[in-house]
Amino acid sequence: MKTDSVDQRYLYWLMRTYPYQRTIANSATGATVKHTSPSKIYEYEFQAPEKNMQTKIAEILSAYEDLIENNQNKIKLMEQATMLLYKEWFINLHFPGYEEKKIVEGVPEGWEKGKLKNYIDVNFRSIPKDYPYQDIQYVDISSVNNGRIERESAYRLSDAPGRAKRLAKDGDVIWGMVRPNLKAYALVLSPAENCVFSTGFAILSPKHIPYTFLYCSVTRESFVSYLVNCTNGSAYPAVKPIHFEEAEIIVPDEMILSQFHNIANPIFRNIETIEKQINYLMSTE
């Protein structure tokens, strides 16, 4: 196609499509480092509408991309605000009423020091024998990155990977146990009833603390460093559920926990709504 008959932005979006990228990938050669050639790229054949329609399509897709980027920036700002609040209240100890609280053995009076296992269950739910769903949405470790569940894979349960066994409920935190430095963690909100998770995750279910406090506690850099230091194996460094259970945690009194949750919960629910919008926009690109 001549350059005067193609909109350059349309061409940009064409080159981002799966068929184009698959074709170019299949044209790559080389034993050690596979690469394609400019001629292979130039010879790619495709059908395109008239140029004015190409322009309209490119404008719509570019607007979608801008909206997705804006939404992603909103999420980042909301997450940062929540973590800053957590740090101010629970690390710097500037929580509401802190001026009147005595410090007893290093923590404000009424707060507790303990093991995380006293406040959560780990891997509490798995697929039962009478599991009613034959079609599942599967989440593996490679699908999760730094607070985001980036994709779910559809499977018949009988054809699903052997690791597809864990179940999670609203408010659970999933944490990839292999190479914790990769931060394969996420908060699970409003999961589909047929959503199944890999056994490569430790699924943390809060039982005496709100999920908002739990999520912020186990995604701090200091907690990531703790997990990294707990790993065993050089080729396949991983932690075990017990490393989550034995982690030390300081838990505020119920009033402060409730105040924090009342602020953080609407933020996380708003993030959930925006992420659904992003997923919808990406599916229509």
Side-chain angles (χ1 to χ4, degrees):
M1 178 177 284
K2 301 294 184 181
T3 56
D4 59 358
S5 61
V6 64
D7 184 282
Q8 295 299 308
R9 290 179 301 169
Y10 180 85
L11 190 60
Y12 161 77
W13 285 103
L14 172 73
M15 296 175 73
R16 289 182 58 174
T17 62
Y18 178 81
Y20 172 83
Q21 294 183 5
R22 174 52 54 190
T23 299
I24 297 304
N26 289 338
S27 71
T29 58
T32 305
V33 180
K34 291 186 177 294
H35 61 277
T36 191
S37 64
S39 62
K40 295 291 185 182
I41 297 174
Y42 181 77
E43 291 171 359
Y44 180 76
E45 295 183 359
F46 63 96
Q47 293 181 335
E50 296 295 328
K51 189 173 181 179
N52 63 340
M53 183 57 68
Q54 295 176 30
T55 301
K56 290 180 181 179
I57 293 172
E59 288 174 350
I60 293 172
L61 292 176
S62 296
Y64 277 16
E65 185 174 52
D66 290 343
L67 184 55
I68 289 171
E69 184 177 356
N70 288 337
N71 281 337
Q72 289 172 335
N73 288 335
K74 287 180 183 178
I75 289 174
K76 187 178 297 184
L77 289 172
M78 286 190 288
E79 288 178 332
Q80 289 174 348
T82 306
M83 290 305 293
L84 284 173
L85 181 67
Y86 176 93
K87 181 180 179 181
E88 185 68 5
W89 284 24
F90 306 121
I91 306 301
N92 298 335
L93 299 182
H94 289 169
F95 52 89
Y98 74 94
E99 302 95 337
E100 302 170 4
K101 280 281 188 179
K102 295 180 180 179
I103 302 299
V104 180
E105 296 183 356
V107 298
E109 189 175 22
W111 293 27
E112 298 178 348
K113 285 183 179 180
K115 303 284 188 181
L116 192 55
K117 65 183 178 182
N118 296 325
Y119 305 96
I120 65 169
D121 290 315
V122 181
N123 297 335
F124 187 65
R125 301 173 67 227
S126 297
I127 291 180
K129 293 182 179 180
D130 59 348
Y131 188 66
Y133 303 101
Q134 294 305 309
D135 295 305
I136 66 169
Q137 296 297 316
Y138 174 57
V139 178
D140 65 9
I141 294 180
S142 65
S143 306
V144 176
N145 180 44
N146 204 7
R148 303 273 86 79
I149 298 177
E150 296 178 340
R151 63 185 178 278
E152 298 175 357
S153 301
Y155 282 101
R156 290 289 292 176
L157 183 59
S158 56
D159 299 327
R163 284 179 168 266
K165 293 180 180 179
R166 299 278 184 236
L167 300 178
K169 67 180 187 306
D170 183 86
D172 284 355
V173 179
I174 57 174
W175 235 117
M177 291 186 287
V178 178
R179 296 185 176 89
N181 62 299
L182 298 181
K183 301 179 181 179
Y185 60 72
L187 177 62
V188 178
L189 294 177
S190 305
E193 291 185 355
N194 66 334
C195 193
V196 179
F197 298 83
S198 169
T199 54
F201 291 111
I203 298 184
L204 316 181
S205 303
K207 58 182 181 180
H208 298 308
I209 53 177
Y211 78 83
T212 48
F213 180 78
L214 172 64
Y215 180 73
C216 291
S217 297
V218 300
T219 57
R220 293 187 300 124
E221 285 299 323
S222 60
F223 192 87
V224 176
S225 298
Y226 159 76
L227 291 180
V228 171
N229 290 333
C230 290
T231 56
N232 293 310
S234 56
Y236 199 68
V239 293
K240 298 178 180 180
I242 193 171
H243 294 122
F244 293 91
E245 295 173 335
E246 293 297 313
E248 298 283 348
I249 189 172
I250 296 175
V251 178
D253 60 60
E254 289 187 11
M255 185 178 72
I256 296 299
L257 277 176
S258 179
Q259 287 179 291
F260 179 76
H261 182 70
N262 288 339
I263 296 171
N265 181 49
I267 295 175
F268 282 120
R269 297 296 174 178
N270 195 13
I271 289 173
E272 178 194 9
T273 299
I274 295 174
E275 285 184 331
K276 288 180 179 178
Q277 294 172 353
I278 290 174
N279 292 337
Y280 173 76
L281 290 170
M282 293 181 70
S283 70
T284 58
E285 284 190 349

